Amino acid sequence: MTNPQNPPVPEGVALGAGVVRRNAVLADGRELIYYDDPGTSLPPERRMDERELTPRPETATMRRDVLTGDWISVAAARQSRVVMPPADLDPLAPQSPTNPSELPSLYDVAVFENRSPSFGPALDEAVGAAPVAVDPPRGLDDLDAPGLGRSRTSVGRCEVVCFSPERTGSFGTQSVTRARTVIEAWADRTAALSALPGVRQVFVFENRGAEIGVTLQHPHGQIYAYPYVTPRTTSLLASIEREGPDLFERIIAFEQDGPRVLLEGEHWIAYVPFAARWPIEVHLAPRRHAPDFAALTAQERDELAPLYLRLLRGIDALYGDESHAAFAGGTPYIAAWHQTPVAVGRDTARLHLQLTSPRRGADKLKYLAGSEAAMGAWIGDIPPEQAADRLREAIARVADPASGDTTAGGSIEGSQPR
């Protein structure tokens, strides 16, 4: 169903670091946002999406697990997702006469609403093309209320973040300039999604590798806007309540003085956590308190781009993947950016990356079996201090991205492996 009101892309909005945002609409009414690199070679005009699309699926329903209190979204439309299509049918590449993809025009960075979302498009209130939910959660007390057989509409939004029009790669393969554009997009979308009616937490993440379950090889990540505070964050908030409101400040001081620091900058620090669960697990956090990407300063965003790239490239260099066919595409990982909920914990819970990989050897994976999967009782395979030593050595073999591309990323002078 073509949207007859599909307008041309309007004049751009200037963001930080010279990035320009241009808002558009896909043929079925989904939002599409272009983020142009500073000094982009792309023209301001973008093609309209002229596809004939079926109506969007109904918003999923979530059910409460009375044994744990967790909410489970049952999103059957996800079963129709494209899985590892051939390169000439990449749904995240710019449209061509033979590829009716999701992106009408060539782009630098693009963000759009997922066609088969786990949450949304319905919201607590109608906003733009998003309808009002039939049975939305009625606040945090409603989400925590007891009772069997409880369900609510899975309000919220799921978005795809395309890092590049190239058909292969990941965040770590981008230039510093492009990484800085993506960070600006993350901050812009975090602010916009946090303002949507019924959204209670925004999660930015990248899945990398078939071993993680990735269904598209295109360099991309995702953003989920949840209608509840996630179980992981609920546990974190309980820990802050138990340990004290300065918990993150003390964690960074503790790790700073220990043997697990990997990279340090003026504004960021990367380390293997004291109680790491995974064979590869790294936390990256700002030294200053910031609840989410939108709260980062320009200087913090500038430093993050090259530092994060160096970290990711170091993880890829850990085993020298060119000699291991099983991981020819690089080390699989989940890059999970934990952000503070919209309305709780803003002064105490800090934005931080938790990057984890199940790769426990050159050609081995850690599988979550009985103890971890069923009981949540983890057994670590590699001592965190040993993992940190090996990661520092790998990072030291990687060239500093800032030395080759500082157009938008700034410098990370003094950001060296321990």
Side-chain angles (χ1 to χ4, degrees):
M1 179 177 65
T2 299
N3 179 2
Q5 304 300 320
N6 192 350
V9 176
E11 290 297 319
V13 176
L15 304 178
V19 176
V20 174
R21 182 186 70 215
R22 302 182 190 279
N23 293 75
V25 179
L26 294 172
D28 56 3
R30 285 176 293 143
E31 192 171 9
L32 165 65
I33 309 103
Y34 296 104
Y35 291 91
D36 296 351
D37 288 337
T40 184
S41 61
L42 297 177
E45 298 78 17
R46 306 297 154 87
R47 292 182 61 248
M48 294 169 56
D49 184 14
E50 298 178 347
R51 294 174 296 172
E52 294 284 342
L53 298 178
T54 58
R56 301 183 67 181
E58 293 293 324
T59 300
T61 297
M62 58 185 191
R63 301 181 179 190
R64 186 173 183 271
D65 178 356
V66 72
L67 295 177
T68 64
D70 298 343
W71 285 92
I72 314 300
S73 187
V74 183
R78 287 167 52 83
Q79 288 284 64
S80 62
R81 290 177 297 168
V82 175
V83 178
M84 292 301 184
D88 60 345
L89 291 177
D90 178 358
L92 304 185
Q95 286 181 12
S96 70
T98 58
N99 181 15
S101 81
E102 293 280 61
L103 284 305
S105 283
L106 185 62
Y107 60 89
D108 292 329
V109 173
V111 179
F112 64 90
E113 289 185 71
N114 198 314
R115 194 171 181 179
S116 302
S118 302
F119 302 93
L123 299 167
D124 280 10
E125 303 170 12
V127 176
V132 62
V134 174
D135 185 25
R138 299 168 181 83
L140 293 176
D141 289 343
D142 177 52
L143 289 164
D144 289 339
L148 294 171
R150 299 188 65 235
S151 64
R152 290 289 184 264
T153 304
S154 297
V155 301
R157 184 174 290 190
C158 295
E159 296 184 340
V160 179
V161 183
C162 299
F163 304 149
S164 165
E166 299 297 325
R167 291 176 176 173
T168 59
S170 62
F171 190 95
T173 65
Q174 307 307 308
S175 67
V176 173
T177 299
R178 177 58 51 78
R180 182 64 178 83
T181 300
V182 175
I183 291 167
E184 199 67 19
W186 286 342
D188 188 58
R189 295 312 300 157
T190 293
L193 294 174
S194 296
L196 292 178
V199 168
R200 293 177 174 85
Q201 188 172 5
V202 177
F203 175 45
V204 172
F205 63 102
E206 179 193 5
N207 296 328
R208 199 274 188 100
E211 298 81 4
I212 299 298
V214 171
T215 58
L216 296 173
Q217 293 181 328
H218 196 107
H220 73 287
Q222 300 179 67
I223 306 177
Y224 275 22
Y226 296 104
Y228 50 73
V229 177
T230 62
R232 169 79 184 204
T233 305
T234 298
S235 178
L236 169 63
L237 295 174
S239 294
I240 292 173
E241 181 70 22
R242 179 180 63 250
E243 301 286 346
D246 62 342
L247 177 59
F248 272 94
E249 181 180 345
R250 290 190 290 117
I251 287 174
I252 290 174
F254 171 74
E255 295 292 356
Q256 177 76 62
D257 293 336
R260 293 173 298 277
V261 174
L262 304 180
L263 280 170
E264 299 182 74
E266 178 183 355
H267 303 290
W268 295 86
I269 182 170
Y271 55 90
V272 176
F274 173 74
R277 291 168 165 78
W278 294 92
I280 300 173
E281 181 168 351
V282 178
H283 290 192
L284 173 60
R287 297 182 184 276
R288 181 187 67 88
H289 176 77
D292 54 28
F293 276 109
L296 294 176
T297 66
Q299 293 75 21
E300 288 165 340
R301 299 180 195 188
D302 288 346
E303 183 179 89
L304 176 60
L307 192 148
Y308 187 25
L309 289 176
R310 191 172 189 190
L311 174 63
L312 292 175
R313 294 173 190 179
I315 287 171
D316 267 354
L318 184 61
Y319 293 107
D321 287 333
E322 64 277 0
S323 62
H324 301 287
F327 298 104
T331 295
Y333 62 72
I334 297 173
W337 284 98
H338 295 261
Q339 302 196 94
T340 307
V342 172
V344 294
R346 302 291 294 179
D347 295 331
T348 55
R350 185 174 301 193
L351 167 73
H352 66 286
L353 169 73
Q354 180 193 33
L355 188 145
T356 59
S357 173
R359 190 174 181 180
R360 62 183 179 88
D363 58 354
K364 297 181 178 67
L365 289 175
K366 175 183 179 66
Y367 293 96
L368 301 190
S371 187
E372 288 98 347
M375 299 305 292
W378 283 75
I379 294 89
D381 301 290
I382 301 174
E385 292 74 22
Q386 179 182 330
D389 287 342
R390 296 171 65 187
L391 281 168
R392 274 193 299 270
E393 292 173 2
I395 292 170
R397 297 195 298 269
V398 174
D400 185 346
S403 64
D405 178 1
T406 59
T407 304
S411 172
I412 53 170
E413 182 179 353
S415 296
Q416 301 296 329
R418 262 288 178 91

